[in-house]
């Protein structure tokens, strides 16, 4: 190498630079891939938004069971006193994924009552499969019609017949009733639900509404877009495309179970300049809870799909006979108050250490 006037170290440096440049290109590609994956929509994905939603639900309803859904806690004793569900909800086995589904749908319905006063200025795409306004206005039908009437009628009939006739499930009428219940469970609420049909007949889908699973997925996508815009404008409280009043105080025409608890958590009585009880935060809370429902019904690996399909009705732990009710809790408000005090004390301690 003497005639070139270069040493072996001079030759190695360009090679090293090329290698470093190639590594940087690969790192950039990998980063772009990760960013693209974040934007790729996966229905029912259990991500950080779902985790946040589970924590919010635990804050709103301490010790209801949202922190251990994989163990199928019985939601009836906790939520029946709060929501006064129609006859039928009491007959659901805690292992029946419909029980948690109904509770989540009801909580989201409470949140949607506040969202109705948010001024959205989005233009619905021509030919779009759904709209956010339709989702919000029709949300209650999944309980009032599909559960209370259609699914509930068959469940109540089954339980009443089983109570008076122990061998009812093995009769032809019993098999047909079970078949109707299981198919409606899948069609109305749990699209990934698998079962062995007791008869060859598949009931006609008599719902006139868009499926809950697709509506939940649609609403999650739309609200995710809004929340991203809110986050982008948060520092300056600037314009949020699609929402005219994101920084105004949220408003519920009639207070409900969730709104009362949100008021406490977000400081609704504080001045608008410092309160967290804004439309922006209402949308964030709604997105998080809606994402939990999306995971629960649209993810094939959610706890909703890990139990025996025939465990759809409540039975006595003592003798296995049909059970129509269990003792209800009376400490829900006390648990919430204690949880709020505990969180405030923890925050105060953290501030003092600073």
């Amino acid at each position: 190498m003497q005639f070139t006037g270069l040493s072996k170290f001079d030759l190695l440096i360009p090679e090293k630079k090329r290698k470093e440049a190639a590594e940087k290109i690969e790192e950039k590609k990998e980063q772009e891939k990760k960013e693209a994956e974040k934007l790729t929509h996966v229905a029912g994905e259990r991500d950080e938004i779902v985790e946040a939603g589970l924590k919010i639900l635990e804050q709103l309803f301490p010790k209801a069971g949202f922190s251990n859904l994989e163990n199928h806690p019985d939601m009836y004793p906790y939520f029946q006193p709060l929501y006064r569900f129609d006859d039928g909800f009491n007959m659901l086995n805690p292992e029946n994924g419909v029980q948690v589904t109904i509770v989540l749908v009801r909580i989201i319905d409470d949140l949607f009552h506040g969202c109705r006063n948010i001024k959205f200025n989005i233009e619905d795409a021509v030919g779009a499969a759904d709209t956010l306004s339709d989702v919000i206005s029709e949300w209650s039908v999944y309980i009032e019609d599909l559960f209370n009437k259609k699914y509930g009628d068959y469940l109540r009939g089954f339980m009443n017949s089983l109570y008076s006739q122990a061998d009812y499930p093995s009769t032809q009428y019993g098999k047909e009733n079970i078949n109707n219940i299981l198919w409606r469970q899948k069609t109305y609420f749990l699209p990934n639900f698998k079962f062995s049909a007791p008869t060859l007949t598949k009931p006609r889908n008599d719902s006139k509404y868009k499926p809950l699973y697709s509506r939940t997925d649609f609403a999650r996508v739309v609200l995710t877009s809004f929340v991203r815009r809110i986050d982008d404008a948060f520092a300056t409280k600037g314009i949020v495309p699609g929402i005219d009043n994101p920084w105004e105080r949220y408003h519920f025409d009639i207070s409900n179970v969730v709104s009362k608890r949100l008021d406490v958590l977000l400081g609704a009585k504080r001045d608008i300049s410092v309160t967290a009880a804004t439309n922006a935060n209402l949308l964030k809370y709604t997105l998080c809870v809606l994402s939990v429902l999306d995971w629960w019904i649209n993810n094939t690996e959610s706890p909703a799909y890990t139990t025996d399909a025939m465990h759809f009705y409540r039975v006595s732990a003592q003798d296995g006979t049909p059970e129509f009710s269990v003792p209800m809790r009376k400490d829900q408000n006390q648990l919430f108050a204690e949880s709020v005090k505990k969180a405030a004390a923890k925050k105060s301690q953290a501030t003092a250490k600073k």
Side-chain angles (χ1 to χ4, degrees), residues 25-207:
I25 291 173
E26 285 301 314
E27 288 178 4
K28 185 177 180 182
K29 287 181 179 179
E30 188 65 26
Q31 186 62 33
E32 289 175 348
K33 182 180 178 181
K34 288 181 179 179
E35 291 297 324
E37 287 176 351
K38 287 182 181 179
L39 297 175
T40 302
H41 172 63
V42 179
E45 181 181 14
R46 180 164 184 168
D47 55 12
E48 66 275 8
I49 304 299
V50 173
E51 299 301 330
L54 290 169
K55 289 179 180 178
I56 286 171
L57 286 164
E58 189 63 32
Q59 284 182 310
L60 290 169
F61 305 102
K63 298 186 179 180
F66 289 111
S67 61
N68 64 320
L69 288 176
E70 66 278 2
N71 295 324
H72 306 284
D74 193 352
M75 295 280 175
Y76 173 77
Y78 196 105
F79 286 99
Q80 183 61 25
L82 297 177
Y83 283 120
R84 309 279 180 192
F85 291 109
D86 283 4
D87 199 37
F89 182 72
N90 54 309
M91 301 174 188
L92 293 172
N93 190 312
E95 292 187 19
N96 185 340
V98 173
Q99 192 193 65
V100 170
T101 302
I102 294 303
V103 170
L104 289 173
V105 170
R106 189 65 182 84
I107 292 170
I108 293 167
D109 190 48
D110 273 4
L111 290 163
F112 277 163
H113 274 76
C115 292
R116 288 175 180 175
N117 291 310
I118 297 176
K119 298 176 182 176
F120 298 105
N121 59 22
I122 51 176
E123 291 185 9
D124 298 322
V126 177
D130 212 340
T131 68
L132 184 60
S133 59
D134 284 347
V135 172
I136 292 174
S137 63
E138 296 177 6
W139 191 256
S140 63
V141 302
Y142 296 102
I143 293 180
E144 294 174 359
D145 191 9
L146 295 190
F147 180 76
N148 289 348
K149 297 177 182 178
K150 293 182 168 59
Y151 183 92
D153 279 350
Y154 286 102
L155 181 59
R156 288 187 291 271
F158 173 83
M159 289 289 280
N160 291 330
S161 296
L162 179 60
Y163 183 75
S164 59
Q165 183 181 350
D167 67 342
Y168 178 69
S170 61
T171 67
Q172 187 58 35
Y173 286 119
K175 290 179 181 179
E176 289 176 1
N177 203 341
I178 292 172
N179 192 57
N180 275 303
I181 291 170
L182 296 179
W183 273 110
R184 280 166 174 75
Q185 193 161 313
K186 179 179 180 69
T187 304
Y188 298 161
F189 306 111
L190 301 170
N192 300 305
F193 179 61
K194 296 180 180 179
F195 60 94
S196 296
T199 72
L200 297 177
T201 305
K202 180 181 178 180
R204 179 180 61 86
N205 182 1
D206 55 356
S207 170

Side-chain angles (χ1 to χ4, degrees), residues 322-339:
E323 192 167 51
F324 292 83
S325 186
V326 292
M328 291 183 280
R329 298 185 67 156
K330 300 178 180 179
D331 60 347
Q332 295 90 330
N333 292 332
Q334 180 184 341
L335 289 170
F336 177 70
E338 290 174 351
S339 176

Side-chain angles (χ1 to χ4, degrees), residues 163-315:
Y163 183 75
S164 59
Q165 183 181 350
D167 67 342
Y168 178 69
S170 61
T171 67
Q172 187 58 35
Y173 286 119
K175 290 179 181 179
E176 289 176 1
N177 203 341
I178 292 172
N179 192 57
N180 275 303
I181 291 170
L182 296 179
W183 273 110
R184 280 166 174 75
Q185 193 161 313
K186 179 179 180 69
T187 304
Y188 298 161
F189 306 111
L190 301 170
N192 300 305
F193 179 61
K194 296 180 180 179
F195 60 94
S196 296
T199 72
L200 297 177
T201 305
K202 180 181 178 180
R204 179 180 61 86
N205 182 1
D206 55 356
S207 170
K208 59 183 178 181
Y209 313 107
K210 292 181 173 64
L212 176 65
Y213 70 87
S214 62
R215 282 211 135 152
T216 301
D217 175 57
F218 169 81
R220 183 179 182 179
V221 171
V222 174
L223 292 183
T224 296
S225 176
F226 280 135
V227 168
R228 283 177 179 156
R229 298 173 195 174
I230 287 169
D231 287 341
D232 290 341
F234 178 76
T236 60
K237 298 293 190 296
I239 295 174
V240 176
I243 308 174
D244 289 338
N245 58 343
W247 313 117
E248 290 182 9
R249 191 189 303 272
Y250 62 61
H251 174 68
F252 289 75
D253 293 330
I254 301 175
S255 61
N256 55 46
V257 173
V258 171
S259 71
K260 291 175 183 177
R261 294 173 182 234
L262 268 187
D263 286 349
V264 175
L265 294 177
L266 299 181
K269 292 183 178 180
R270 302 178 70 188
D271 186 80
I272 188 60
S273 61
V274 292
T275 185
T278 62
N279 286 327
N281 281 329
L282 175 59
L283 282 177
K284 288 185 177 184
Y285 271 63
T286 303
L287 168 63
C288 290
V289 177
L290 187 78
S291 297
V292 173
L293 176 62
D294 184 42
W295 160 69
W296 182 257
I297 65 177
N298 282 325
N299 191 315
T300 57
E301 297 181 358
S302 92
Y305 301 114
T306 60
T307 58
D308 189 326
M310 289 304 295
H311 293 178
F312 62 86
Y313 63 96
R314 187 181 292 278
V315 296

